[in-house]
Amino acid sequence: MVYVLLAEGFEEAEALVPVDLLRRAGVETALVSVAGGPVTGSHGICVQAQLTLEQVELDRARMLVLPGGGLGVSNLGREPRVARLVKEAAGRGLWVAAICAAPTLLARWGLLDGRRAVCFPGMEDQLAPALAQPGQSVVEDGRFITGRAAGSAFDFGLALVRVLAGAEAGEEVRHAVHY
C-alpha cells in the first residue's frame, strides 16, 4: 500500500498525478487526510481521502508520499503524528517520497543527512545537510525519492511506479498516458 498524506493546502498535481500513475500500474494507493475529512488543495480542489492518519498501517505500507504546496507542507510539518509516522516508515526501510517543499520536512527530521535530494527551487538551503541537486526533476537516493515541483509530477509519479512495480510497468504507464 502507498499512503499519500494530504494536509490542507497541498499541491493537487503533486498528489493526484502520482496517485493516478500508481493506480494505472496496479499499485494499491490511498489518499490519507491528516486532519480527517475532505482536504482542500492549494488551488481550491477538494479531495475526499479514503483514510485518516489513524488508519495508516505501516505493516501494510510499501511507501509514504508527501506532496508539496507551501501551506500543505506547513500543515504536515505542524502535525507531530506525521513526523513520527514518516520516521518510523524510514526506520523500517520503507520507501519515502516527497516533492516540492516536502523534502525540506524530511531534511528537518534528519532523514536526508548526506543523501542527494531535490526540492522546490530556492529552498535548497532548507535541505541541508542533504546534498541538494538543483536542476534535477527527480532524485532517488537509497529508499528516498524527491521531486522538484508540480512540473515534475509525471516524472516523480513514474519514478514511484518504477521502484514499486518495475521498469516495464513504468514504461507501460508512461506509454499509456503518452508522456
Side-chain angles (χ1 to χ4, degrees):
M1 171 71 80
V2 175
Y3 294 106
V4 180
L5 307 183
L6 302 181
E8 288 293 316
F10 74 95
E11 170 56 55
E12 293 93 339
E14 295 166 2
L16 300 179
V17 169
V19 168
D20 178 276
L21 297 175
L22 286 161
R23 288 183 177 177
R24 286 172 189 263
V27 177
E28 190 177 11
T29 307
L31 294 166
V32 178
S33 174
V34 170
V39 188
T40 302
S42 61
H43 297 94
I45 299 172
C46 187
V47 174
Q48 179 63 53
Q50 290 84 43
L51 302 172
T52 64
L53 200 56
E54 295 75 28
Q55 294 172 302
V56 171
E57 298 176 46
L58 284 184
D59 290 338
R60 292 190 62 219
R62 297 177 68 197
M63 177 184 283
L64 296 183
V65 179
L66 283 72
L71 179 59
V73 169
S74 292
N75 286 331
L76 286 174
R78 278 194 280 268
E79 177 52 66
R81 296 174 302 159
V82 171
R84 281 193 302 272
L85 184 69
V86 172
K87 288 177 185 179
E88 184 177 345
R92 290 184 183 197
L94 301 175
W95 286 97
V96 176
I99 185 169
C100 194
T104 65
L105 292 176
L106 302 182
R108 183 188 325 159
W109 298 330
L111 300 174
L112 296 180
D113 294 4
R115 294 186 182 279
R116 294 176 303 108
V118 67
C119 65
F120 187 79
M123 298 184 80
E124 290 85 2
D125 61 322
Q126 295 178 49
L127 281 180
L131 307 171
Q133 306 292 299
Q136 296 296 310
S137 180
V138 176
V139 174
E140 180 183 334
D141 191 333
R143 303 285 280 186
F144 293 91
I145 300 173
T146 54
R148 183 176 53 215
S152 304
F154 273 91
D155 292 333
F156 181 73
L158 289 169
L160 306 185
V161 169
R162 281 191 295 277
V163 301
L164 295 174
E168 186 176 322
E171 185 58 24
E172 287 173 7
V173 170
R174 186 195 66 73
H175 180 70
V177 298
H178 296 276
Y179 182 73

